[in-house]
Amino acid sequence: AQSVTQLGSHVSVSEGALVLLRCNYSSSVPPYLFWYVQYPNQGLQLLLKYTSAATLVKGINGFEAEFKKSETSFHLTKPSAHMSDAAEYFCAVSVAGRRALTFGSGTRLQVQP
Amino acid sequence: EAQVTQNPRYLITVTGKKLTVTCSQNMNHEYMSWYRQDPGLGLRQIYYSMNVEVTDKGDVPEGYKVSRKEKRNFPLILESPSPNQTSLYFCASSFKERTEAFFGQGTRLTVV
């Protein structure tokens, strides 16, 4: 069975600092991996996805993530945090033959002025 | 505008009173799902549908029903709600399996 672990339920950074949100997955078959963002009182919006092409994936709003098979990781980064990045971020995995996305428990990002 | 629309956004009900949360998408997607979001647990799939009249259980289907009579609509039915179904519910649709899922705005349900 597949699973997703997001280390750190809350992460706080200063505006302009590096954002690093961690995601590790477990899957016995090659996965597709996703990062979604959820702003307050809104649904989830796709930031980026990995579907077995390039291992470094660029998404919206300056975010990117690198698929590292040897570390079973798919960490999300952004070089310089902006106040508008404050939200909850979810990592999710999809494997062939299973209809559901499996989500991590989420990381709430706080950006300090 | 491409979107997934859920109604209502907020709902407070009493134990045992049947309710329906509607979901509609305008993207002609085949796949639709319902998730519930609980603190510390992320999102868990309740039911999904691969096309009209084709539905199947997700990870937490107990206490829920769904139907898919039209491609655009996928209502979630709670026949006899209980307090442990108090949660934030999301409907999602995607073009096909393993492609980007588009989420509705969510329905916050409280069962007292």
Side-chain angles (χ1 to χ4, degrees):
Chain A
Q2 66 284 342
S3 65
V4 177
T5 301
Q6 290 185 240
L7 287 175
S9 59
H10 290 82
V11 170
S12 182
V13 301
S14 298
E15 192 172 19
L18 171 71
V19 176
L20 170 61
L21 305 183
R22 299 178 186 275
C23 172
N24 288 88
Y25 71 91
S26 170
S27 174
S28 58
V29 297
Y32 286 4
L33 293 158
F34 303 81
W35 274 100
Y36 284 86
V37 61
Q38 184 180 28
Y39 298 104
N41 297 316
Q42 294 189 27
L44 280 72
Q45 176 185 359
L46 182 70
L47 273 179
L48 49 81
K49 62 183 178 183
Y50 165 77
T51 59
S52 75
T55 57
L56 182 61
V57 181
K58 294 187 184 300
I60 62 171
N61 302 338
F63 284 92
E64 63 181 38
E66 185 172 7
F67 173 71
K68 292 187 177 180
K69 184 178 180 180
S70 60
E71 299 176 8
T72 62
S73 69
F74 191 57
H75 302 331
L76 181 71
T77 61
K78 182 174 180 178
S80 177
H82 191 272
M83 296 297 289
S84 62
D85 294 327
E88 189 154 22
Y89 292 80
F90 291 93
C91 182
V93 62
S94 171
V95 297
R98 192 172 188 283
R99 308 299 183 184
L101 283 170
T102 299
F103 284 87
S105 54
T107 297
R108 187 168 297 279
L109 176 65
Q110 190 174 28
V111 182
Q112 307 281 7
Chain B
E1 181 189 353
Q3 60 186 2
V4 177
T5 303
Q6 294 178 229
N7 280 296
R9 293 287 311 276
Y10 303 91
L11 179 59
I12 301 175
T13 190
V14 296
T15 299
K17 186 177 181 181
K18 180 179 179 179
L19 66 90
T20 299
V21 184
T22 64
C23 174
S24 180
Q25 51 94 3
N26 63 0
M27 295 168 279
N28 201 36
H29 285 167
E30 290 189 352
Y31 283 79
M32 297 186 75
S33 293
W34 276 102
Y35 291 85
R36 61 177 289 172
Q37 181 181 8
D38 301 290
L41 296 177
L43 282 79
R44 294 175 292 167
Q45 192 187 55
I46 302 170
Y47 269 94
Y48 65 87
S49 170
M50 292 165 283
N51 213 325
V52 176
E53 303 291 2
V54 182
T55 63
D56 207 348
K57 297 177 181 179
D59 294 321
V60 288
E62 294 77 20
Y64 305 95
K65 284 177 58 176
V66 293
S67 68
R68 187 97 181 269
K69 292 182 171 49
E70 304 167 280
K71 196 171 187 178
R72 62 184 291 126
N73 296 324
F74 190 44
L76 179 70
I77 303 158
L78 284 71
E79 295 267 359
S80 182
S82 62
N84 64 11
Q85 293 179 297
T86 292
S87 186
L88 180 57
Y89 291 87
F90 287 101
C91 179
S93 74
S94 57
F95 175 60
K96 57 180 181 178
E97 188 180 11
R98 309 188 79 191
T99 57
E100 174 185 356
F102 291 80
F103 285 80
Q105 297 278 70
T107 296
R108 186 167 294 281
L109 172 66
T110 302
V111 183
V112 298

